[in-house]
Amino acid sequence: MAIDLDTGLLRNFLVCTRLGSISRAAHALGRTQPALSQQLRRLEDIVGEALLQRAATGVSLTAAGAALLPYAERILALSGEALAGVPRAKLSGRCSVGILEDFTGTSLPAAFADFGRLHPDTTLELVALLGSETRTALDSGRIQLALCDAEFLERPPRWSVRVPLLWAAAENFDATIDPLPLVMFSEPCRWRSLAFSALSVAGRCWRIAFESGSLTAIHAAVRAGLGVTTLLPTAMAQGVVSAPVSQSLPALTDIEIGLARRPESEGDVLTNAVEGMLKQLA
Amino acid sequence: MAIDLDTGLLRNFLVCTRLGSISRAAHALGRTQPALSQQLRRLEDIVGEALLQRAATGVSLTAAGAALLPYAERILALSGEALAGVPRAKLSGRCSVGILEDFTGTSLPAAFADFGRLHPDTTLELVALLGSETRTALDSGRIQLALCDAEFLERPPRWSVRVPLLWAAAENFDATIDPLPLVMFSEPCRWRSLAFSALSVAGRCWRIAFESGSLTAIHAAVRAGLGVTTLLPTAMAQGVVSAPVSQSLPALTDIEIGLARRPESEGDVLTNAVEGMLKQLA
DNA sequence: TGCCTCCTATAAGTTTTCATTATGGCCATA
DNA sequence: TATGGCCATAATGAAAACTTATAGGAGGCA
């Protein structure tokens, strides 16, 4: 028998009671409804009592659930306090990280700012690079860490995440136009060829409608309806939305985003901390 | 980033500090040392600080670890309180469970007694049965639940656990004797044939040295050195120990222990609760 | 110094767990 | 009755966690 109540399960339970519905809670937690339904049942199995009364209109607390709720809140609060209460080592020094422009629109810059506020003696630098520039920047010591397409790295990455490459277009863009107008990064861009070959395999014609080396320009061109492009999910923007795979837009392969580290920085405490932060964000 | 500290990880951390060694803690928790080593690192990744100072003599707390420790204790204590504090539904009625004699030596009878103490209005009955008797007992309503070899059940079990079938012998018993003397349950016992065929495949000769329908008698015969037998891990006893697989004792197949439930008891609250208890014990 | 033992970390492979898609049932509202 | 929202279950596939095997480092002792 499980001795301890899992905090993850308690968190789910809490959100379900707050929102009054498993479906809504699932959406809020970024899960599907069946997943949450199962987890909830797992918690009930551990406790040995039904915690939520299911109905067609949503869920409500049972007596056992009402009794558990304050414990859940207290445990989760303590967990948060614990994380905040642990003394952090004093960090100092300088660390530069190279990233793809695609990641500049994410929570990554904000996380870097938070880190800097927490450790005033450090200087963190975020450098937007092309994948092809990464190796040189690492070798020269310009950056200590790099997050980019694993294909561009010299050796296997220390760790990596798979990210889908998506078609992006303006809302209501008609992707059936033939030949398909493409908005693309200028060479060297590895993802260009991925798009081209996917289109070839699907027997689809295309033409380059616009080309630029800047993500902002790409965004603007797509937003203006000049054509479709391929982007990472993190690079979508206002007025530029992911277009579903269909007859006219073939599926694209996933991209492996890997982390590389300058060997000379091995053992550096600040670099360790920054790498840990990146891994948690990924 | 993980928002919550997992109670399982905190429990491991706590045990490591108490015992001063990852290896000892792993043994105490019924895990292997690498598993615990990894979990500990996972916790440190979440917290973002080293919690334990590793040394050749064991582990000791770092400053961050010392800060986290009281939180860990408090969270785990709250978790226990929560489980104890949830009001239990008043249960009443009668429930009989059929089990193999092999399980009478486990914590199962004690758990049944605890359950009865917690729910004074209930009558629980534990019936030791042969696998072959299970179906009749269920059909007649003699029992509502049964835990036995899945092969004996009419339909697929509601759930099951795989358990290894082991060779059992007296300590220092010489298993190289030829032909191998066997102590066996009388027919009908499905495991007899499993043992026989395993020996045949290994080209090993055997003879039946003792035969009985009672587990106690089997234990006594094995303890006296009359021969070896096959038992579930839960059926080992004083003076009867598991004999490792070797040249003279071939590997045996696993047994699938399944739970069957009388269809008429579907929806019965007490039977639900007892089934839940059995599942947690399994 | 050399050997032995006890400890921890890492790697590779396998099993288990978890989440997703797909589907069906139930209740309320129109 | 039809329709939409909500929950449960089943089956598949991906991810996580555990296990075995192995390597490396520090202390105890001849």
Side-chain angles (χ1 to χ4, degrees), chain A residues 21-24 33-34 37 54 56:
Chain A
S21 144
I22 299 184
S23 299
R24 274 196 293 276
Q33 171 265 318
S37 186
R54 274 78 158 176

Side-chain angles (χ1 to χ4, degrees), chain A residues 38-60:
Chain A
Q38 289 170 208
Q39 290 200 326
L40 222 27
R41 193 146 82 93
R42 218 174 304 147
L43 180 63
E44 290 180 326
D45 281 349
I46 293 172
V47 173
E49 290 289 328
L51 299 171
L52 292 175
Q53 188 79 39
R54 274 78 158 176
T57 63
V59 293
S60 55

Side-chain angles (χ1 to χ4, degrees), chain B residues 22-23 33-34 37 54 56:
Chain B
I22 298 185
S23 301
Q33 172 267 317
S37 185
R54 275 80 160 174

Side-chain angles (χ1 to χ4, degrees), chain A residues 166-191:
Chain A
L166 302 174
W167 290 108
E171 302 192 54
N172 305 323
F173 184 84
D174 176 14
T176 60
I177 305 172
D178 196 88
L180 184 68
L182 295 181
V183 173
M184 286 272 129
F185 261 88
S186 314
E187 291 283 8
C189 171
R190 210 178 69 84
W191 306 346

Side-chain angles (χ1 to χ4, degrees), chain A:
Chain A
M1 146 156 183
I3 331 175
D4 303 318
L5 294 174
D6 186 79
T7 40
L9 298 181
L10 291 178
R11 168 80 56 191
N12 296 337
F13 168 61
L14 188 67
V15 175
C16 284
T17 64
R18 290 249 189 284
L19 300 183
S21 144
I22 299 184
S23 299
R24 274 196 293 276
H27 187 255
L29 293 166
R31 297 270 152 81
T32 56
Q33 171 265 318
L36 213 55
S37 186
Q38 289 170 208
Q39 290 200 326
L40 222 27
R41 193 146 82 93
R42 218 174 304 147
L43 180 63
E44 290 180 326
D45 281 349
I46 293 172
V47 173
E49 290 289 328
L51 299 171
L52 292 175
Q53 188 79 39
R54 274 78 158 176
T57 63
V59 293
S60 55
L61 283 169
T62 64
L68 182 63
L69 190 55
Y71 286 106
E73 289 172 337
R74 187 87 190 91
I75 288 173
L76 292 171
L78 267 176
S79 160
E81 275 180 47
L83 278 173
V86 167
R88 307 284 159 184
K90 276 270 188 302
L91 291 176
S92 64
R94 178 186 191 80
C95 181
S96 301
V97 182
I99 58 168
L100 295 178
E101 208 176 350
D102 300 71
F103 295 126
T104 50
T106 67
S107 57
L108 211 148
F112 267 61
D114 287 346
F115 190 100
R117 227 164 288 131
L118 215 60
H119 302 287
D121 295 343
T122 62
T123 309
L124 258 52
E125 189 183 17
L126 212 44
V127 189
L129 292 175
L130 299 181
S132 52
E133 299 168 344
T134 306
R135 191 182 301 188
T136 321
L138 276 171
D139 289 347
S140 68
R142 173 78 187 82
I143 58 177
Q144 285 75 52
L145 295 168
L147 209 49
C148 83
D149 191 327
E151 295 288 324
F152 281 116
L153 300 177
E154 206 164 354
R155 62 194 80 187
R158 290 167 62 91
W159 47 265
S160 64
V161 284
R162 295 197 76 78
V163 173
L165 187 61
L166 302 174
W167 290 108
E171 302 192 54
N172 305 323
F173 184 84
D174 176 14
T176 60
I177 305 172
D178 196 88
L180 184 68
L182 295 181
V183 173
M184 286 272 129
F185 261 88
S186 314
E187 291 283 8
C189 171
R190 210 178 69 84
W191 306 346
R192 282 172 72 118
S193 31
L194 291 181
F196 294 164
S197 65
L199 288 168
S200 297
V201 168
R204 191 81 165 76
C205 297
W206 76 87
R207 64 184 181 85
I208 303 260
F210 182 88
E211 193 174 314
S212 165
S214 137
L215 181 60
T216 314
I218 300 276
H219 275 156
V222 170
R223 196 179 299 119
L226 277 181
V228 301
T229 190
T230 57
L231 291 177
L232 296 187
T234 50
M236 298 294 163
Q238 184 91 57
V240 179
V241 301
S242 164
V245 166
S246 65
Q247 203 71 1
S248 43
L249 294 177
L252 297 164
T253 62
D254 287 355
I255 301 292
E256 186 183 359
I257 300 294
L259 181 120
R261 180 163 174 169
R262 183 171 152 81
E264 287 80 355
S265 75
E266 203 61 56
D268 178 66
V269 181
L270 174 59
T271 311
N272 286 345
V274 174
E275 184 183 342
M277 178 178 68
L278 288 173
K279 189 164 186 185
Q280 290 200 334
L281 287 170

Side-chain angles (χ1 to χ4, degrees), chain B residues 62-277:
Chain B
T62 64
L68 182 63
L69 189 55
Y71 285 106
E73 289 171 336
R74 186 86 190 91
I75 287 173
L76 293 171
L78 268 176
S79 160
E81 276 179 48
L83 279 173
V86 168
R88 303 288 160 183
K90 277 269 187 307
L91 291 176
S92 64
R94 177 186 191 80
C95 181
S96 300
V97 181
I99 58 167
L100 296 178
E101 208 175 349
D102 301 70
F103 294 127
T104 51
T106 65
S107 57
L108 211 148
F112 267 60
D114 287 346
F115 190 100
R117 227 165 288 132
L118 216 60
H119 302 288
D121 295 342
T122 62
T123 311
L124 258 52
E125 190 184 15
L126 213 44
V127 188
L129 293 175
L130 300 181
S132 52
E133 299 167 344
T134 306
R135 191 181 302 188
T136 320
L138 276 171
D139 289 346
S140 69
R142 174 78 188 82
I143 60 177
Q144 284 75 53
L145 295 168
L147 211 49
C148 83
D149 190 328
E151 295 288 325
F152 281 115
L153 301 177
E154 206 164 354
R155 62 194 80 190
R158 289 166 62 92
W159 47 265
S160 65
V161 284
R162 296 197 75 79
V163 173
L165 187 61
L166 303 174
W167 291 108
E171 302 190 56
N172 305 322
F173 183 85
D174 177 13
T176 61
I177 306 172
D178 196 88
L180 182 68
L182 295 181
V183 172
M184 285 273 129
F185 260 89
S186 314
E187 291 283 9
C189 171
R190 209 177 71 82
W191 306 347
R192 286 171 70 120
S193 30
L194 291 180
F196 293 165
S197 66
L199 288 167
S200 298
V201 169
R204 190 82 164 76
C205 297
W206 77 85
R207 65 183 180 85
I208 303 264
F210 182 89
E211 193 173 314
S212 163
S214 138
L215 181 61
T216 316
I218 300 277
H219 275 157
V222 169
R223 195 179 299 116
L226 278 180
V228 302
T229 190
T230 57
L231 290 177
L232 295 187
T234 51
M236 299 292 165
Q238 184 90 58
V240 178
V241 300
S242 165
V245 166
S246 66
Q247 202 72 2
S248 44
L249 293 177
L252 297 164
T253 63
D254 288 355
I255 301 292
E256 185 183 358
I257 300 294
L259 181 119
R261 178 163 177 172
R262 183 171 154 80
E264 287 81 355
S265 75
E266 204 60 57
D268 179 66
V269 181
L270 175 58
T271 312
N272 286 346
V274 174
E275 184 183 342
M277 178 179 67

